Amino acid sequence: MIPPRTDKSTPPRLILALAALLAGSAANAGELSELLQNVLQHPQVRAAAHQNEAAQAQVEAARGRYLGSASLSAGWHRYEHPRVVGVFTPSTTDVALTSERIGQVGINYSLPVDVSGVIAAARERAGKDKEAAELLGRQQTLLKLHQAANAYFTLQALRKQREALKVAEKRVAATFARVSMEVKLGKAPGIDARYAESELARLEADRAQLDGAVLQAQADLAEASGRAEMLPTAVVAVIPAWEESGEETLPARLALARQESVRAQAKEARRALWPSLSLDAGAARNFGNGDSRDTWAVGGVVSIPFGVSAYAQADAQRLNAEAAREQGEAARRDGTRQRAALRAAFDAAQADTRALEREAAYREQVVVVQTEMQRLNNQTLENLFRHERDLLDARYRLAQARARAAVAWSSAQVLAGMAPETYIDRWNVAK
């Protein structure tokens, strides 16, 4: 007689099952991580990176205005009458160069003195433009990551639905074969066979719809990640826990950066109406008729702008700044609304998942019982197929609920503006 088992350790089969489940989850996380890494090479993501570099170059250009500008010049001219080149002093006859053919080579340098703050406002605007470009690039990257994740989890749900449909088709086909045999033996009416055949046709139509949905989701995934005709593994990745963020949403931060940029641009337009001062210096060598003279000059230039257009442009920039401020407030309110809606959708999807897991298990038992009852002629074929459809519907909704929870979490991270690297890591460390 074999003695009873007395140790309370985990059975080996259970250990193997848990190991297989964990291995499947790890493989799934690696598969998704690889897809998301491919998204970072999307042309739109690379374009956003180039736009960030261009914005940084604009910051450097605005900062470089403090250093002034220099120019080199060279020219040769032939005149109809002699021309005077250089510093001309009436009491000194040989200071100026007079000739019909005159050449000149020189250098000029102008150094602005930012007494009105125009350059400072331009630097501020360039800095805000750079901040907006960075936020816009992050938003573009997150949207592509979300597109790939959405397609990925949609394909997972569709695969689960395919598996459920395959089981349903197998059961209905077995019922059809059994009923057809009973019809031949005269134990069942012919209408039962036709009814079972119509149920099989309905399931075939469902499969065609699933195939079309798979093709569409694969196209979305291929556009975002470059992976065509891919089907994810059957194991659904664990959804990361919900993360509350006390910061403003990404659209609100982007609207604020644009608001500050427009405000700085309006400030720059106003300061441009003030008088400007620059220090100028130049040196040149003039030559003609075999003679050459050097000239140089140092001085300052004060410019006072006049014109109705400049004042109207400054007023337009002021109104744009007011509009940007209102848009920023609207983005902040809308972000709060979207965050609440996504949290509600995430919680609802998680609750649906837990409830549908129990419902699917219950309906599976019901179908087994009803199938046996129908075989013994204690249940109608119509009721049996109704329970089969209820089970299939529960499995469909379970797969969709899991996908909805994952998509809601992903949408929330896009809204919050999570760093793309952190977004990818969250799927790797989800437990």
Side-chain angles (χ1 to χ4, degrees), residues 44-304:
Q44 289 187 0
V45 176
R46 296 200 302 268
H50 292 318
Q51 289 174 349
N52 289 340
E53 295 174 359
Q56 178 61 38
Q58 290 292 342
V59 172
E60 299 297 332
R63 185 181 298 116
R65 290 177 60 180
Y66 283 116
L67 303 178
S69 60
S71 62
L72 293 174
S73 62
W76 184 87
H77 301 277
R78 186 175 186 275
Y79 301 96
E80 295 181 0
H81 302 284
R83 289 295 186 271
V84 178
V85 178
V87 179
F88 180 75
T89 305
S91 60
T92 306
T93 58
D94 60 349
V95 170
L97 181 70
T98 59
S99 175
E100 295 178 357
R101 298 179 178 86
I102 298 175
Q104 186 181 66
V105 177
I107 182 172
N108 294 281
Y109 178 72
S110 179
L111 178 65
V113 181
D114 194 27
V115 293
S116 61
V118 176
I119 299 179
R123 285 187 59 189
E124 182 182 359
R125 175 176 57 83
K128 295 302 179 182
D129 286 343
K130 179 179 181 297
E131 182 180 348
E134 290 175 349
L135 292 174
L136 191 61
R138 175 178 293 193
Q139 184 182 59
Q140 183 63 56
T141 303
L142 285 171
L143 286 173
K144 281 300 172 184
L145 289 172
H146 174 69
Q147 177 183 335
N150 186 10
Y152 180 82
F153 287 109
T154 299
L155 286 172
Q156 278 195 337
L158 291 172
R159 179 163 184 167
K160 283 291 185 181
Q161 291 174 349
R162 272 182 166 182
E163 293 174 356
L165 183 62
K166 185 177 181 180
V167 173
E169 287 177 333
K170 184 177 180 180
R171 285 176 170 170
V172 173
T175 302
F176 173 67
R178 178 175 54 81
V179 171
S180 298
M181 181 61 66
E182 292 177 352
V183 170
K184 290 181 180 180
L185 297 176
K187 296 181 179 181
I191 192 173
D192 284 353
R194 290 192 294 272
Y195 183 34
E197 186 178 12
S198 67
E199 188 69 13
L200 273 177
R202 188 186 68 83
L203 293 178
E204 290 177 1
D206 289 348
R207 176 171 291 278
Q209 291 181 358
L210 285 179
D211 291 342
V214 166
L215 291 176
Q216 182 177 353
Q218 285 178 333
D220 291 339
L221 186 60
E223 195 282 330
S225 66
R227 294 282 299 275
E229 299 181 0
M230 178 200 171
L231 278 177
T233 58
V235 179
V236 178
V238 178
I239 301 172
W242 185 267
E243 299 184 25
E244 291 291 349
S245 175
E247 298 181 356
E248 291 287 353
T249 61
L250 180 58
R253 287 151 55 194
L254 181 58
L256 178 61
R258 288 172 173 169
Q259 172 189 340
E260 293 297 325
S261 174
V262 174
R263 183 188 61 79
Q265 189 174 4
K267 180 180 178 181
E268 181 183 3
R270 291 194 308 270
R271 296 296 177 87
L273 300 176
W274 296 7
S276 62
L277 171 65
S278 64
L279 302 178
D280 296 343
R285 171 168 286 269
N286 307 287
F287 50 88
N289 288 342
D291 193 6
S292 62
R293 303 293 172 87
D294 294 331
T295 58
W296 60 271
V298 176
V301 177
V302 177
S303 300
I304 301 177

Side-chain angles (χ1 to χ4, degrees), residues 16-34 152-153 156 160 232-240 402 424-431:
L16 293 176
L18 290 174
L21 179 60
L22 292 175
S25 298
N28 180 268
E31 180 182 62
L32 179 57
S33 177
E34 181 183 354
Y152 180 82
F153 287 109
Q156 278 195 337
K160 283 291 185 181
T233 58
V235 179
V236 178
V238 178
I239 301 172
R402 288 171 176 165
I424 296 174
D425 290 341
R426 287 293 187 272
W427 291 113
N428 288 333
V429 301
K431 296 181 181 180

